[in-house]
Amino acid sequence: MSHHPSAISPESSRPIGVFDSGIGGLTVVAELRRVLPHERILYIGDTARVPYGGKSAETVTRYSREISDHLIAEGAKLIVVACNTASALSVPTLAPSIEVPLIGVLEPGASAAVKATKNKMIGVIGTKATIGSSAYKKAICTLDTEMTVSSVACPLLVPLIEEGLFEDDVTSVILQRYLDPMLAEGIDTLVLGCTHYPLLKRVIQRICGPSVTLVDSAENCALAVKELLASQTQNPDRTPASNLAAPRLDIVLTDSSEGFLRVAEKSLDLTIDSLSFRQIGK
Amino acid sequence: MSHHPSAISPESSRPIGVFDSGIGGLTVVAELRRVLPHERILYIGDTARVPYGGKSAETVTRYSREISDHLIAEGAKLIVVACNTASALSVPTLAPSIEVPLIGVLEPGASAAVKATKNKMIGVIGTKATIGSSAYKKAICTLDTEMTVSSVACPLLVPLIEEGLFEDDVTSVILQRYLDPMLAEGIDTLVLGCTHYPLLKRVIQRICGPSVTLVDSAENCALAVKELLASQTQNPDRTPASNLAAPRLDIVLTDSSEGFLRVAEKSLDLTIDSLSFRQIGK
């Protein structure tokens, strides 16, 4: 790994730091690549402690702080919390004490859902921790008090996705159980409130039918990052590529078990320039 | 929590230390309770870093060492590794450097399987890490080189069990997929190589049919602990209860998210005397 310490790097070569409990946040990386093709990205997947979705706010915040400190030490110019659980549980506590901008996936997703709904009935699916925090509900209702939000925790989806069972009868049956009550209530918009879920977009859309708009938090988060970077530079949309470092994607995992990485790499068509393993947070 | 430092405790009041990545190891506690009803048990569930089943030997061994050190500091007279993944990946490395006996679930399970099989064809199910280590296969073939061992990693079972889906069509479908190839090969004995799995014993037996003997590693581990304690005391089977501290079950979790604890407590009919939360490993 050859990241530049921030002290000697021009802004353009400092990486965007991205982290997730594991590999799911690569859906956000794929979107960042699409909207910001010239950026360097340094991704940390906390595979030694994955998943975060069933853990407490205190523990998830501790992990998020350790990883953010690591990304800042590596010169990250901003940090993307590419994990809905960490966004819901730790961003409010962490953001004020971190020296670079911290962007979670939650606010962009909430904002996009409010823009997408016509009948003001929004569904949210996510991990137990994300749904238990009511963070999406609060964010959506802060934007528009007239919104009705239904939420369902879907703890089996991440394991099914990590097994690559995207088009499997079992996945359909489980999804149907989770989604039926919200569909019966008449939601017209569904927030995919976990960075793994875009990998199930096709089957979720099939179960919901064409009248329900799916809001992909990965996509909206990437757009928010683009806007933030644009607001920080003079000529954001047309920075000549010659001024920029070569785009790179460096991945650091906290455990050497690669598992799902290959599933994600293939599904998302990502090129990984380097992969390394480091212990973070002892 | 009121554990006695080992220096001032008589042997009989020192707890048996038990640990698991999470709550699954309570199946071993339930068996310990049955065969050793007078013992104090101190259980640590590493819920801040659960699960271990997809992680590397290096990481799992680091976690196991941190928890073992903690149990020894609490006065544990022996340590039961009530987690097949940790037993497979870390017991061989840890045992020589730990000052009290360390008993895993793997050797007792392997030994019971060798005793149970008639046609010398044994199946083993477990986590990716346990199966990937081939530890059961090695242990079984060390006992009897004529054994044929088929192994299947079953990564979806733990999430299904933690959701309490013991008698659910989805669980049956998934189990059938995992078990069919081994059943077709003609195994007559199946090792439940994960401490969660005894909670699925009924449905697994139904799918395997009556001709397959299920080997519960929890049960055999508890018997091995009883034997070890018996070998260490003069009159093991008839130690008068008046000499013993009152039996207790104290549970320490590394994350405050209780989740599956209530499912396990109810399914296993356990009485928990105290529950507390501590950060271990930093």
Side-chain angles (χ1 to χ4, degrees), chain B residues 227-250:
Chain B
E227 271 173 39
L228 181 80
L229 288 179
S231 74
Q232 290 180 330
T233 58
Q234 289 186 303
N235 195 359
D237 292 323
R238 301 194 48 245
T239 316
S242 58
N243 277 359
L244 298 166
R248 282 185 66 86
L249 170 56
D250 297 296

Side-chain angles (χ1 to χ4, degrees), chain A residues 27-202:
Chain A
T27 57
V28 177
V29 170
E31 291 297 329
L32 283 171
R33 261 284 153 275
R34 214 170 51 82
V35 301
L36 293 162
H38 297 294
E39 294 288 338
R40 288 179 166 243
I41 295 172
L42 171 57
Y43 181 95
I44 297 183
D46 195 9
T47 47
R49 304 185 289 199
V50 73
Y52 290 177
K55 291 163 191 169
S56 69
E58 190 191 357
T59 295
V60 171
T61 302
R62 176 162 59 93
Y63 294 168
S64 300
R65 185 180 300 278
E66 287 165 357
I67 295 171
S68 298
D69 288 348
H70 197 90
L71 286 169
I72 290 169
E74 291 286 339
K77 61 185 169 188
L78 70 87
I79 293 174
V80 179
V81 185
C83 168
N84 282 265
T85 302
S87 297
L89 271 52
S90 66
V91 165
T93 314
L94 274 190
S97 62
I98 295 282
E99 63 202 78
V100 298
L102 195 70
I103 294 189
V105 281
L106 198 138
E107 305 287 343
S111 165
V114 168
K115 280 180 201 147
T117 184
K118 293 199 177 76
N119 71 1
K120 305 203 174 208
M121 297 187 70
I122 298 173
V124 181
I125 54 176
T127 63
K128 282 190 179 173
T130 298
I131 299 305
S133 74
S134 300
Y136 268 105
K137 193 166 190 163
K138 287 174 201 155
I140 289 168
C141 294
T142 300
L143 292 168
D144 185 339
T145 53
E146 286 181 8
M147 296 287 160
T148 302
V149 181
S150 306
S151 307
V152 177
C154 304
L156 291 170
L157 295 188
V158 169
L160 290 165
I161 292 167
E162 299 210 334
E163 286 310 296
L165 301 183
F166 305 135
E167 296 285 342
D168 192 282
D169 288 349
V170 166
T171 306
S172 302
V173 169
I174 293 285
L175 268 172
Q176 197 90 48
R177 281 188 205 170
Y178 287 141
L179 297 174
D180 272 352
M182 292 194 293
L183 295 172
E185 285 175 18
I187 58 160
D188 74 347
T189 301
L190 178 67
V191 178
L192 308 182
C194 170
T195 49
H196 276 71
Y197 298 171
L199 294 166
L200 289 181
K201 222 173 184 175
R202 200 182 309 177

Side-chain angles (χ1 to χ4, degrees), chain A residues 47-51 54-56 59 62-63 66 128 155-156 159-160 163 165 168 170 173-174 177 255-257 279 281-282, chain B residues 47-51 54-56 59 62-63 128 155-156 159-160 163 165 168 170 173-174 177 254-257 279 281-282:
Chain A
T47 47
R49 304 185 289 199
V50 73
K55 291 163 191 169
S56 69
T59 295
R62 176 162 59 93
Y63 294 168
E66 287 165 357
K128 282 190 179 173
L156 291 170
L160 290 165
E163 286 310 296
L165 301 183
D168 192 282
V170 166
V173 169
I174 293 285
R177 281 188 205 170
D255 182 71
S256 61
S257 232
Q279 190 173 322
K282 191 165 179 185
Chain B
T47 47
R49 304 185 289 199
V50 71
K55 291 164 191 169
S56 69
T59 295
R62 177 161 58 91
Y63 293 168
K128 283 189 178 174
L156 290 170
L160 289 165
E163 286 310 295
L165 301 182
D168 191 282
V170 166
V173 169
I174 293 284
R177 282 189 205 170
T254 58
D255 183 70
S256 60
S257 231
Q279 190 175 319
K282 197 181 175 175

Side-chain angles (χ1 to χ4, degrees), chain A residues 181-233:
Chain A
M182 292 194 293
L183 295 172
E185 285 175 18
I187 58 160
D188 74 347
T189 301
L190 178 67
V191 178
L192 308 182
C194 170
T195 49
H196 276 71
Y197 298 171
L199 294 166
L200 289 181
K201 222 173 184 175
R202 200 182 309 177
V203 54
I204 293 174
Q205 188 74 69
R206 195 162 62 225
I207 290 172
C208 290
S211 62
V212 174
T213 305
L214 302 189
V215 172
D216 177 340
S217 52
E219 196 180 318
N220 290 288
C221 176
L223 292 172
V225 171
K226 187 181 181 183
E227 270 174 38
L228 181 82
L229 288 179
S231 74
Q232 290 180 330
T233 58

Side-chain angles (χ1 to χ4, degrees), chain B residues 168-180 183 190 200-210 212 214:
Chain B
D168 191 282
D169 288 349
V170 166
T171 306
S172 303
V173 169
I174 293 284
L175 268 171
Q176 196 91 47
R177 282 189 205 170
Y178 288 141
L179 298 174
D180 272 352
L183 295 172
L190 178 67
L200 289 181
K201 220 172 185 176
R202 199 182 309 175
V203 52
I204 292 174
Q205 189 74 70
R206 197 164 59 226
I207 290 172
C208 291
V212 174
L214 302 190

